[in-house]
Amino acid sequence: DRVAASFGGPLQNVALNRIRADGPWGTFDGHGGFSAQRFVAYGAYRGTFDGLQPLIGNAIEARGPVAGTVGIGIEPKRIIVQGSNLRMHGATLRGVPVDRASLTLAIEGDRLRVFSAKAHTAGGDLVAAGTLQLTPGKGASANALSLVAARLSAAQLRGIGLPLTAGTLSAAGNLSAGSPLPTFDGAVAIDRGKLANFSLTGNGDIR
């Protein structure tokens, strides 16, 4: 890892006028500050989810490149991340392709708190917010992501257990951690789907 920075101010609240960092996790070029209680930085980031794995843990199964404008705050009990217009061409989350996203989230121990997230994924759009328990077995209604998905390509959702090979899927409901796959409680609509040799179109509730 390499870090180059110019800074000034008292040790109780140091301003980083320029900071550039390089490592296995990627490259960052921006500005920020730190004190005894927190570190904050804002700037341009380019790297991969694979390189970030030591920081985000194995619970978030993400692969591929990510680049864009990010802000990060590190406090004793949580890490806050904000990303704007993140480009993720070729990236996947649990095997589902994600092209771009904007989000604000916090990692608090074994909980992922999503304040807001908007992504273009599997050929459609998704918005989400809520708290997701990263440790399977502890999920509850209070520990779930509320999400709305519009016209996702069903064939690109096999990584989360959907067996369809064609069609589009729209959904609204709550997503909770599960093992080996996450659990979903909500409404789903399928248009021109295909399961084996059978056509499938309709809507209903999943619990």
Side-chain angles (χ1 to χ4, degrees), residues 162 184-188 204-207:
L162 194 71
F184 180 77
D185 183 353
V188 174
D205 294 332
I206 296 178
R207 297 185 183 279

Side-chain angles (χ1 to χ4, degrees), residues 40-51:
V40 296
Y42 184 83
Y45 170 78
R46 180 180 298 275
T48 66
F49 285 110
D50 307 80

Side-chain angles (χ1 to χ4, degrees), residues 96 119 121-127 147-158 160-173 175 184 186-195 200-206:
V96 177
T121 176
D125 295 299
L126 181 144
V127 294
L147 60 84
V148 176
R151 299 192 62 79
L152 306 185
S153 171
Q156 298 183 44
L157 301 177
R158 300 181 70 87
I160 58 173
L162 194 71
L164 299 179
T165 57
T168 60
L169 179 144
S170 298
L175 183 73
F184 180 77
V188 174
I190 299 171
D191 182 37
R192 301 179 184 180
K194 187 171 288 294
L195 177 61
L200 182 63
T201 296
N203 59 75
D205 294 332
I206 296 178

Side-chain angles (χ1 to χ4, degrees), residues 55-60 76-79 94 105-114 130-140 142-145 175-178:
L55 301 177
I56 63 178
N58 295 322
I60 303 176
K77 294 185 178 181
R78 66 176 182 173
I79 299 174
R94 274 191 174 268
L105 58 84
I107 300 173
E108 303 171 342
D110 62 356
R111 293 194 306 170
L112 175 66
R113 186 183 299 274
V114 179
T131 301
L132 185 64
Q133 194 75 41
L134 298 177
T135 303
K138 294 184 179 180
N143 287 312
L145 287 181
L175 183 73
S176 301

